Amino acid sequence: MDFINCFTPNELSVLASAIAIELAEGESADEINVLGNFIVAVGSLLLTIAAQEQNLQSIKDKQKEMQDLRKNKKNM
């Protein structure tokens, strides 16, 4: 997803707005509502995945830190 990294926050907001307008064009309010809820659900799941990845990485980092401390303590 390197393409996202080339946008400023404002540019990304404008892009999201343009996509939303294009997707909503010609659709009924019910269809737009369903699509919006679907997109929110996908976003929520992406956030859950990212949070768990960060959690697991944090656990791994703490375990490594503890191992390093034990190793340093033995070498004293």
Side-chain angles (χ1 to χ4, degrees):
M1 296 256 266
D2 288 338
F3 75 95
I4 288 179
N5 296 332
C6 69
F7 292 106
T8 67
N10 289 343
E11 290 170 338
L12 199 55
S13 296
V14 170
L15 177 61
S17 295
I19 291 170
I21 291 167
E22 184 63 30
L23 289 173
E25 187 70 29
E27 304 298 336
S28 71
D30 286 339
E31 291 169 327
I32 295 168
N33 196 18
V34 169
L35 181 58
N37 282 304
F38 174 78
I39 292 169
V40 167
V42 170
S44 294
L45 291 170
L46 288 170
L47 291 170
T48 301
I49 291 166
Q52 183 62 358
E53 286 179 0
Q54 287 177 329
N55 180 49
L56 294 174
Q57 185 61 50
S58 177
I59 291 169
K60 188 184 290 186
D61 292 345
K62 287 176 185 175
Q63 288 173 340
K64 174 135 178 40
E65 185 179 331
M66 291 300 291
Q67 287 174 347
D68 291 345
L69 286 172
R70 287 185 192 117
K71 190 176 183 180
N72 288 340
K73 188 177 177 182
K74 279 185 178 181
N75 291 337
M76 291 182 144

